[in-house]
Amino acid sequence: MKDTIKFVLDESRIPRYWYNIVADLPSPPPPVLHPGTMKPVGPGDLAPIFPMSLIAQEVTAEREVEIPGPVRDIYRQWRPTALFRARRLEQALETPARIYYKYEGVSPAGSHKPNTAVAQAYYNREAGVKRIATETGAGQWGSSLAFAGALFGIEVQVFMVRVSYDQKPYRRALMEAYGARCVPSPSTETQSGRAVLAKDARHPGSLGIAISEAVEVAASREDTKYALGSVLNHVLLHQTVIGQEALAQFDLAGDYPDVIVGCTGGGSNFAGIVFPFLGAQLRGGRKVRVVAIEPAACPSLTRGKYAYDFGDTAHLTPLAKMHTLGSTFTPPGFHAGGLRYHGMAPLVSHVKELGLIEAGAREQTKCFEAGVRFARAEGIVPAPEANHAVLGAIDEALRCREEGVSRAILFNLCGHGHFDMQAYIDYFAGKLTDQQYDEAELAMALAGLPSVRAA
Amino acid sequence: MKDTIKFVLDESRIPRYWYNIVADLPSPPPPVLHPGTMKPVGPGDLAPIFPMSLIAQEVTAEREVEIPGPVRDIYRQWRPTALFRARRLEQALETPARIYYKYEGVSPAGSHKPNTAVAQAYYNREAGVKRIATETGAGQWGSSLAFAGALFGIEVQVFMVRVSYDQKPYRRALMEAYGARCVPSPSTETQSGRAVLAKDARHPGSLGIAISEAVEVAASREDTKYALGSVLNHVLLHQTVIGQEALAQFDLAGDYPDVIVGCTGGGSNFAGIVFPFLGAQLRGGRKVRVVAIEPAACPSLTRGKYAYDFGDTAHLTPLAKMHTLGSTFTPPGFHAGGLRYHGMAPLVSHVKELGLIEAGAREQTKCFEAGVRFARAEGIVPAPEANHAVLGAIDEALRCREEGVSRAILFNLCGHGHFDMQAYIDYFAGKLTDQQYDEAELAMALAGLPSVRAA
């Protein structure tokens, strides 16, 4: 049919391996350090909170990690996801650009997160784990792990950042529909939570605090482990099914992206779509421009320091070298809750330092404007997080129009906004503002970085 | 791969024709009557509110109606939808039954409704229509027409039943994201609405009242037409893409349904999946048992009269012979708002009278229990309407277990519940009750039927 808009692969084309970019990088990422000794952590240090199979994936340098059969079996429900050509958006923008998007919102939980949630739940069940504690920002991750837990008979407890917990009651209900227990963070259930509440009983919470709470619960119980929805190497690894499928779909389309745009919070959906293309480039394939778009109110890649820092606020995690705003930094309560994290995935940070990607920051009202524009052309209402990628792609397409050049633009539409409609209600009512972080707080958080103090 | 769970067709298999069951029925359905003359209405009577092309589809006896290219082009975004084998649900139920579901929630608006919304918007645009007025119950239809209107540059005004308008702010926000205007019904914008409000300023609304308001707006403006999301022949016709695809997918599966379960409100998703199978049976193919499941609180098929009645409360529509609770009947405000309609599609009613289908009614708490059971096994949270079909299918599967028989059960999962999570929140909080209609009000509404008065 003329003007193909949907590139589909059958289930035999679900990738058989996750792709590990470490194997193709000119230098390995800096090691994760123990905060006491400042020496690289070993598997034993992580064993209280992760099953050994995931620790092995965290440190492997192998290019390919086989996807277990039971995980692929579940992927089949929604994978391969379609790659769409956004022809109606192109027309609306009057751009010569060829805009493509990979749509991950068709998973049961509505985002890319089940790609890793299912894998993590599988490995935990294999290790005999009965309960997983985790954190969630906007709720995309928490609901995905709740879904995966239901499939593998694992109890899931989710610490949900309080500002999102209050903004998104439907997302909480989704977790409960899957059978998970969801509590607002900071909570009274952990020492970390109680410490924060003692200072500020109305604290809005942050991903850093919620991580502390979940890690504390996991570390204190024998049958309980911890799971993270982004940032870590093994999480990024699991997401590479997205980019691998996209590579095959561009073959079908007889095209190749000139530029790839992804939104970045912890970095997992970005790495998922980008790393397989960067890998192809690093192995001698075609060069692709890559742009990470982050929220201006939480700009780790564009305003953070590349330094060793804790992954959480209570400093229960090891130290990772990453672009960070400082683990004590609390971002303002904007609507893209999934991007409200002080740090960036160490691997994404490393790739940025190697000059393989660019980064930009955008204000939230412009992102929602782009999301509505996209919805009216393509019919899909994006998640607030995904709106950053939509805006980045639209900006690139408009540049094509100005320059009179047709480029192929690919972005990852990492999730739909069905559970985030309060943000759209606020946007339509003119209640959304472009929130600013506190410059003094940022300066203090950066000054307090462990590597800065150590220097 | 072993144990296939997803049966997929490529886009070349999107049906090229809508299927019209009238061509295969042993007798035609009774004609629609003009309430003044009690004579069959002609195309001219309907011309003020529908474009002529849709009026022609309403009365055609042709078996196949060609789907226009631009409509198929848009269908390609989400069609063919997948047919799933619910193996995880089968395991959870410990049933020998083979449970299949066709999942229509992958459309941009999240239900089967865009199948007809896109077609109706297309024909209206071809006829030069600038604005469409419509009603919506739960919001599935209103948001689908809003989506279709955005694609074809048609302004959409939606009268949303007030009880749903209050229960489902996210659904309203979705319509606004697509650019439609949504007002609660009864409203002060029409004579019909004002008349209802004069009697009861806090009236919860009903589909019958909202239809009156939309028809009134359409009839009073030259450039404005009306669109209905269910009940009418041409709407049911457009939905037959569902069943036609399912027939091809059962070929792929090497199986055939012994029983098909659908939920019924106006009848369109039910007809969409069922009619192509009934047509095959009527043309000498295999017999299939068909079960319609309706809400016990609005039981037109099981408690209504098969009689001529108005389609709306203010009596602006022609008379159609259907199973009806009486056009003055106001159903209780239960959560499956899309099923809160006093009548059943005349074609579905006729097929019921011909003995081709069965019907049953279910209470809402049992439906939500089934929906949660389904979500924990299959990952998809169904719309409250779809929960009726889920419960019907689970009941059939449990009967298979009791009898020790494996039957193939097919149901239409007509939409997801992402915009209906307040209903799940109420269900988990124990706040949902099995609402009863008022028996005296039903008796009065049935006694007031125009055909009863005429007799």
Side-chain angles (χ1 to χ4, degrees):
Chain A
M1 210 177 287
K2 69 163 172 42
D3 300 342
T4 305
I5 58 168
K6 188 174 62 175
F7 301 92
V8 179
L9 302 171
D10 71 41
E11 70 181 52
S12 72
R13 307 292 295 278
I14 296 173
R16 298 187 171 272
Y17 298 87
W18 292 302
Y19 166 67
N20 182 12
I21 197 171
V22 171
D24 290 317
L25 290 176
S27 66
V32 170
L33 303 182
H34 189 289
T37 64
M38 292 304 263
K39 298 228 163 84
V41 299
D45 296 314
L46 299 170
I49 59 169
F50 294 117
M52 213 39 99
S53 45
L54 288 174
I55 295 171
Q57 290 185 1
E58 189 63 19
V59 297
T60 183
E62 293 291 314
R63 181 175 286 121
E64 294 179 334
V65 176
E66 190 174 358
I67 305 177
V71 173
R72 287 187 86 230
D73 275 1
I74 294 168
Y75 279 176
R76 285 185 298 157
Q77 189 177 352
W78 70 93
R79 304 216 71 85
T81 62
L83 175 76
F84 289 97
R85 172 88 184 265
R87 290 191 184 269
R88 297 193 297 257
L89 179 64
E90 292 168 16
Q91 280 162 23
L93 298 175
E94 297 176 341
T95 175
R98 309 184 302 285
I99 307 175
Y100 296 86
Y101 59 97
K102 182 82 168 156
Y103 183 40
E104 292 290 309
V106 291
S107 80
S111 77
H112 64 296
K113 296 288 187 189
N115 295 331
T116 183
V118 169
Q120 292 191 50
Y122 166 78
Y123 288 115
N124 273 284
R125 195 209 43 192
E126 291 299 288
V129 173
K130 302 279 178 256
R131 190 184 300 107
I132 302 179
T134 196
E135 74 294 323
T136 200
Q140 299 272 22
W141 166 245
S143 51
S144 299
L145 192 69
F147 158 64
L151 300 189
F152 288 105
I154 294 176
E155 210 179 292
V156 173
Q157 179 177 8
V158 182
F159 291 92
M160 185 171 188
V161 176
R162 183 183 293 274
V163 60
S164 292
Y165 185 92
D166 293 337
Q167 279 170 348
K168 298 174 194 280
Y170 282 25
R171 184 59 79 169
R172 197 169 79 227
L174 179 61
M175 291 182 237
E176 288 168 0
Y178 290 140
R181 191 163 79 83
C182 177
V183 295
S185 165
S187 81
T188 56
E189 299 196 11
T190 66
Q191 284 194 318
S192 317
R194 288 190 294 271
V196 175
L197 290 173
K199 284 190 204 152
D200 178 1
R202 296 163 55 91
H203 197 289
S206 71
L207 277 169
I209 295 167
I211 292 172
S212 296
E213 295 208 80
V215 168
E216 184 182 326
V217 166
S220 64
R221 294 183 65 151
E222 190 62 48
D223 60 352
T224 302
K225 296 287 181 192
Y226 167 70
L228 188 63
S230 191
V231 179
L232 298 178
N233 297 352
H234 69 271
V235 181
L236 275 54
L237 178 80
H238 298 156
Q239 294 295 353
T240 57
V241 289
I242 304 172
Q244 289 184 69
E245 289 175 7
L247 271 165
Q249 287 162 320
F250 270 94
D251 261 357
L252 278 185
D255 206 346
Y256 200 85
D258 296 298
V259 51
I260 306 179
V261 180
C263 63
T264 46
S268 78
N269 99 75
F270 174 83
I273 194 153
V274 163
F275 282 4
F277 285 90
L278 281 185
Q281 171 184 324
L282 289 162
R283 294 191 304 277
R286 190 162 148 182
K287 189 167 160 42
V288 62
R289 214 181 115 230
V290 174
V291 184
I293 304 288
E294 62 184 6
C298 191
S300 58
L301 275 174
T302 54
R303 293 288 316 274
K305 273 194 183 158
Y306 184 56
Y308 271 104
D309 195 10
F310 291 97
D312 71 322
T313 304
H315 298 177
L316 304 179
T317 71
L319 295 172
K321 194 156 187 191
M322 58 184 178
H323 291 90
T324 177
L325 300 165
S327 61
T328 60
F329 175 77
T330 299
F334 58 88
H335 271 286
L339 308 182
R340 288 182 70 245
Y341 185 60
H342 67 274
M344 179 49 56
L347 255 181
V348 173
S349 294
H350 183 55
V351 161
K352 169 82 162 44
E353 288 301 301
L354 290 171
L356 293 168
I357 65 171
E358 306 166 21
R362 296 288 190 284
E363 303 287 355
Q364 77 171 347
T365 53
K366 287 280 179 199
C367 292
F368 277 92
E369 189 185 315
V372 170
R373 206 164 184 179
F374 182 82
R376 289 183 187 175
E378 297 293 317
I380 301 167
V381 177
E385 292 80 7
N387 281 342
H388 291 74
V390 173
L391 176 56
I394 288 178
D395 286 348
E396 292 291 331
L398 294 178
R399 213 144 65 84
C400 286
R401 185 173 74 181
E402 278 165 33
E403 298 173 8
V405 181
S406 173
R407 291 190 200 97
I409 301 163
L410 166 65
F411 71 97
N412 193 21
L413 188 63
C414 58
H416 60 60
H418 299 173
F419 298 96
D420 308 293
M421 295 307 291
Q422 188 59 48
Y424 284 90
I425 292 172
D426 292 348
Y427 171 71
F428 288 129
K431 285 188 198 159
L432 276 200
T433 53
D434 291 332
Q435 290 171 295
Q436 301 302 324
Y437 52 84
D438 184 327
E439 286 281 358
E441 189 195 341
L442 175 60
M444 208 160 72
L446 289 174
L449 284 171
S451 53
V452 173
R453 285 188 319 223
Chain B
M1 214 177 284
K2 70 162 172 42
D3 300 343
T4 305
I5 58 167
K6 188 174 63 174
F7 302 92
V8 178
L9 303 171
D10 71 42
E11 71 180 51
S12 72
R13 306 292 296 278
I14 296 173
R16 297 188 173 271
Y17 298 88
W18 291 303
Y19 165 68
N20 181 13
I21 196 172
V22 171
D24 290 317
L25 290 176
S27 66
V32 170
L33 303 182
H34 190 289
T37 64
M38 293 304 264
K39 297 224 163 89
V41 299
D45 296 314
L46 299 172
I49 58 170
F50 293 117
M52 213 39 100
S53 46
L54 289 173
I55 295 172
Q57 291 185 0
E58 188 63 20
V59 297
T60 183
E62 293 291 316
R63 180 175 288 122
E64 294 179 335
V65 175
E66 191 174 358
I67 304 177
V71 174
R72 287 187 85 232
D73 275 359
I74 294 168
Y75 278 176
R76 284 185 299 157
Q77 190 178 353
W78 70 92
R79 306 214 69 85
T81 62
L83 176 76
F84 289 98
R85 172 86 183 267
R87 289 190 185 269
R88 297 193 297 256
L89 179 64
E90 292 167 15
Q91 280 163 22
L93 298 174
E94 297 177 341
T95 175
R98 311 183 303 284
I99 307 175
Y100 296 87
Y101 60 97
K102 181 84 167 156
Y103 182 39
E104 291 290 309
V106 291
S107 79
S111 77
H112 64 298
K113 296 288 186 187
N115 296 331
T116 182
V118 169
Q120 293 192 51
Y122 166 78
Y123 287 116
N124 273 283
R125 197 212 38 195
E126 290 299 288
V129 172
K130 301 280 177 254
R131 189 183 301 104
I132 301 179
T134 196
E135 75 293 324
T136 200
Q140 298 272 22
W141 166 244
S143 51
S144 299
L145 193 67
F147 158 63
L151 300 189
F152 288 106
I154 294 176
E155 209 179 293
V156 173
Q157 178 177 10
V158 182
F159 290 92
M160 185 171 188
V161 175
R162 182 182 293 275
V163 60
S164 292
Y165 185 92
D166 293 337
Q167 278 171 350
K168 297 174 195 280
Y170 282 24
R171 185 59 81 170
R172 197 169 80 227
L174 179 61
M175 291 182 236
E176 287 167 2
Y178 290 141
R181 191 163 79 83
C182 178
V183 294
S185 165
S187 81
T188 55
E189 299 196 11
T190 66
Q191 285 195 318
S192 316
R194 289 190 294 271
V196 175
L197 290 174
K199 283 187 202 155
D200 179 0
R202 296 163 55 91
H203 197 289
S206 72
L207 276 170
I209 294 166
I211 292 172
S212 296
E213 296 207 80
V215 168
E216 185 183 323
V217 166
S220 64
R221 294 182 65 151
E222 190 62 45
D223 61 351
T224 303
K225 296 287 181 194
Y226 167 70
L228 188 64
S230 189
V231 178
L232 298 178
N233 297 351
H234 69 270
V235 181
L236 275 55
L237 179 79
H238 298 157
Q239 293 296 352
T240 58
V241 289
I242 304 171
Q244 289 184 70
E245 289 175 6
L247 270 166
Q249 288 162 320
F250 270 95
D251 261 358
L252 278 184
D255 206 346
Y256 201 87
D258 296 297
V259 51
I260 307 178
V261 180
C263 63
T264 47
S268 77
N269 99 74
F270 175 82
I273 193 152
V274 163
F275 282 4
F277 285 90
L278 280 186
Q281 171 183 324
L282 289 163
R283 294 191 305 277
R286 190 163 149 183
K287 189 167 159 39
V288 61
R289 214 183 116 228
V290 174
V291 185
I293 304 289
E294 61 185 7
C298 190
S300 58
L301 276 174
T302 54
R303 292 290 315 275
K305 271 192 185 161
Y306 184 56
Y308 272 104
D309 195 8
F310 290 97
D312 72 322
T313 304
H315 298 178
L316 304 178
T317 71
L319 295 171
K321 194 157 188 190
M322 58 184 179
H323 292 88
T324 177
L325 301 164
S327 61
T328 60
F329 175 78
T330 300
F334 58 88
H335 271 287
L339 308 183
R340 289 182 69 244
Y341 186 60
H342 67 275
M344 180 48 55
L347 256 180
V348 173
S349 293
H350 183 56
V351 161
K352 170 82 161 46
E353 288 301 301
L354 290 171
L356 293 167
I357 65 171
E358 306 166 21
R362 295 289 190 286
E363 303 286 356
Q364 78 171 346
T365 53
K366 286 279 179 200
C367 291
F368 277 92
E369 189 185 313
V372 171
R373 207 164 182 177
F374 183 82
R376 289 183 186 175
E378 298 293 318
I380 301 168
V381 177
E385 292 79 7
N387 280 343
H388 291 75
V390 173
L391 175 56
I394 289 179
D395 286 349
E396 292 291 330
L398 294 178
R399 213 146 62 87
C400 286
R401 185 173 74 180
E402 278 165 33
E403 298 172 7
V405 182
S406 173
R407 292 191 200 96
I409 301 164
L410 167 64
F411 71 98
N412 193 21
L413 189 63
C414 58
H416 60 60
H418 299 174
F419 297 96
D420 309 292
M421 296 306 292
Q422 188 58 48
Y424 283 90
I425 292 172
D426 292 347
Y427 171 71
F428 290 127
K431 286 189 198 158
L432 274 198
T433 53
D434 292 331
Q435 292 171 295
Q436 301 302 321
Y437 52 83
D438 184 327
E439 286 280 359
E441 189 196 341
L442 175 60
M444 208 160 72
L446 289 174
L449 284 172
S451 52
V452 173
R453 285 189 318 227

